[in-house]
Amino acid sequence: MKRLFAFIGKAALAFAGAVVLFFAASSFVWVGLPSYYAGNYQKGLVKQYRALQNSDPDTPKILVLGDSCMAFSVDSAQLSALTGMPCYTLGMQGGMGKEYIFELAKPYINEGDIVVNPFTGYSSFWYGADLILLSLENEPDLYFDFLLRHPLSALSRLKDRCAKKVTEFLKGNMTEPEGNDFYKADAFDETGNMTYFRPRGRYTQSLEASDPRSFWVGMYSDLDISRVNAFTRFCEKRGATFLLTSAAVYDEKVTNTEEELAAFEAWFRSVFDAPLICESWSDGFYAKGYMYDTAIHMNSYGMELYTQNLYEDLLPYLGQA
C-alpha cells in the first residue's frame, strides 16, 4: 500500500511538473517572443482596455460594454462630445464571451458611472479562449491574469496558438498578414474606437447573406439572466448605474411579427433588473443603408445615428452622474 501511495505521489508530482513546464514554455512564447498578432483586429480590445485602465476613477464616465455589434455601432468620441462625459467602450467580438468583458470592466466601474450594454445575449461561465488569447498576446499583465483565473480555458487553445507563433517565428514571418479592410488593429484609434471609414454599399452581398435574426420569450436561460442581474447588483454596490438597450440589427433580417416582438420585449423587461432604456426593442432595427458587412455591423453613417439615438435614450440618466 505504501508503494502504491508513493507511486501515486510521484505520478502526481510529475504531472504537476509537466503542467507547470508547459505553461512556463507557452507563456514565454506568447508574451516573450516578438508579437506576431500586433496588427490583428482583436488588438482593438487592448486599446479599449488601456484607455479604460487610465481613466480617472473620480470622474464619472459612460462605459459601453458589448461585442463586435457594439464596436461597429458606438462612437465613444461622439458620445463623449454629446454628453460632456468621458466615454469608453469595451468589447470586440461575441465569441470572446460577455463573462470576460464584464470581468475586465469590473475593477474600473466607480461611483457615478453609467454602464450600458447593447444586449446581444449572454453565455454564463464561458470564455472564448482563442479570441481572448489573440487579444492578450504580448500583454503580460492581461495574459497572466486570464491564465491564473481560467487555466483550463487557456489550456484549450494555448498549445495551438503557441505552435502557430513559433512556426511563423522560425520561418522569419514576424507579422501576421493584415486582415481585410477593417479587420485589423489600425481600424481603431488609440482608445479602441473604430475610426475606419465604412461607406455604404461596399458589402451588400455579404450583408444580404447574413443569417436571419429572431427574438422570442425565453430565449435567454435562467442562469444567463441571473448572471446579468448579478452584474446589475455589482454596479449598484459600486454606486454605478447599469442599463440595457437593444443592439443594432439589419431590419430586413428580423423574422418576428409585431406581436412576437411585443411579447419578447415585455418578457425581457420583466426578467432583467437593469432598465431597458430604448422606447421599443425595434429601435435597434436599422435599414440597409446604415449596415455594413453583416446584419449586426453598422457602417460609419449607422454608427453616427446609433450613437445619437443612444445619447437620447441616456438623457434621463445623465443627471445621476
Side-chain angles (χ1 to χ4, degrees):
M1 186 63 70
K2 289 182 179 180
R3 289 182 179 179
L4 177 60
F5 285 142
F7 173 78
I8 292 173
K10 290 179 180 179
L13 287 173
F15 177 76
V19 171
V20 170
L21 181 62
F22 168 77
F23 277 121
S26 299
S27 298
F28 171 76
V29 169
W30 204 241
V31 300
L33 290 182
S35 176
Y36 177 68
Y37 296 102
N40 193 278
Y41 167 87
Q42 286 297 127
K43 289 298 182 179
L45 181 78
V46 178
K47 294 181 178 184
Q48 293 173 342
Y49 177 80
R50 296 303 181 200
L52 180 60
Q53 188 180 41
N54 291 325
S55 64
D56 181 2
D58 297 321
T59 301
K61 60 183 175 290
I62 295 174
L63 173 58
V64 188
L65 306 177
D67 46 30
S68 64
C69 178
M70 182 278 298
F72 278 76
S73 60
V74 177
D75 184 335
S76 58
Q78 179 187 349
L79 190 59
S80 181
L82 288 168
T83 62
M85 296 174 64
C87 297
Y88 303 88
T89 56
L90 190 65
M92 196 54 49
Q93 206 164 151
M96 301 181 74
K98 292 283 181 63
E99 286 275 4
Y100 185 62
I101 300 304
F102 282 22
E103 191 175 283
L104 281 181
K106 281 183 175 181
Y108 306 104
I109 295 173
N110 301 296
E111 186 172 355
D113 289 350
I114 298 174
V115 185
V116 191
N117 177 210
F119 199 77
T120 56
Y122 197 91
S123 297
S124 299
F125 304 110
W126 185 81
Y127 298 85
D130 192 56
L131 294 172
I132 293 173
L133 288 172
L134 275 178
S135 304
L136 308 189
E137 185 225 17
N138 286 68
E139 303 290 337
D141 59 332
L142 288 168
Y143 166 77
F144 284 110
D145 180 71
F146 179 67
L147 182 64
L148 293 173
R149 289 175 183 267
H150 312 290
L152 294 180
S153 294
L155 181 63
S156 68
R157 293 300 301 162
L158 191 55
K159 176 177 68 68
D160 292 339
R161 277 293 168 192
C162 286
K164 170 70 174 176
K165 185 174 180 178
V166 169
T167 299
E168 298 299 330
F169 178 78
L170 294 175
K171 288 180 180 178
N173 299 329
M174 300 306 298
T175 305
E176 178 191 37
E178 282 192 349
N180 178 46
D181 196 7
F182 49 88
Y183 283 115
K184 54 186 179 182
D186 287 346
F188 303 90
D189 67 12
E190 67 278 2
T191 69
N193 194 35
M194 183 175 276
T195 53
Y196 185 94
F197 180 70
R198 306 177 303 287
R200 290 187 171 101
R202 177 170 290 180
Y203 290 101
T204 301
Q205 186 173 355
S206 64
L207 175 60
E208 294 299 344
S210 299
D211 293 334
R213 304 278 162 167
S214 58
F215 306 92
W216 64 91
V217 172
M219 70 180 294
Y220 309 124
S221 72
D222 290 343
L223 176 60
D224 294 343
I225 293 167
S226 69
R227 294 291 290 170
V228 175
N229 287 340
F231 186 76
T232 304
R233 293 192 296 274
F234 171 86
C235 290
E236 290 173 348
K237 289 179 180 178
R238 301 279 291 215
T241 302
F242 181 54
L243 307 168
L244 297 171
T245 191
S246 56
V249 62
Y250 177 21
D251 58 4
E252 292 185 24
K253 288 294 178 178
V254 178
T255 63
N256 298 91
T257 64
E258 291 185 7
E259 292 75 16
E260 289 170 338
L261 286 173
F264 167 78
E265 182 180 328
W267 171 77
F268 188 100
R269 292 182 185 275
S270 71
V271 296
F272 287 106
D273 295 338
L276 181 66
I277 62 174
C278 52
E279 184 176 343
S280 169
W281 188 260
S282 60
D283 288 352
F285 301 169
Y286 287 81
K288 180 190 297 184
Y290 295 111
M291 307 310 294
Y292 198 46
D293 66 318
T294 78
I296 60 171
H297 289 173
M298 306 193 86
N299 59 33
S300 294
Y301 303 99
M303 174 184 263
E304 181 180 2
L305 179 59
Y306 185 93
T307 303
Q308 175 67 37
N309 291 340
L310 177 60
Y311 161 68
E312 293 173 6
D313 288 337
L314 284 172
L315 282 174
Y317 300 91
L318 293 179
Q320 299 178 17

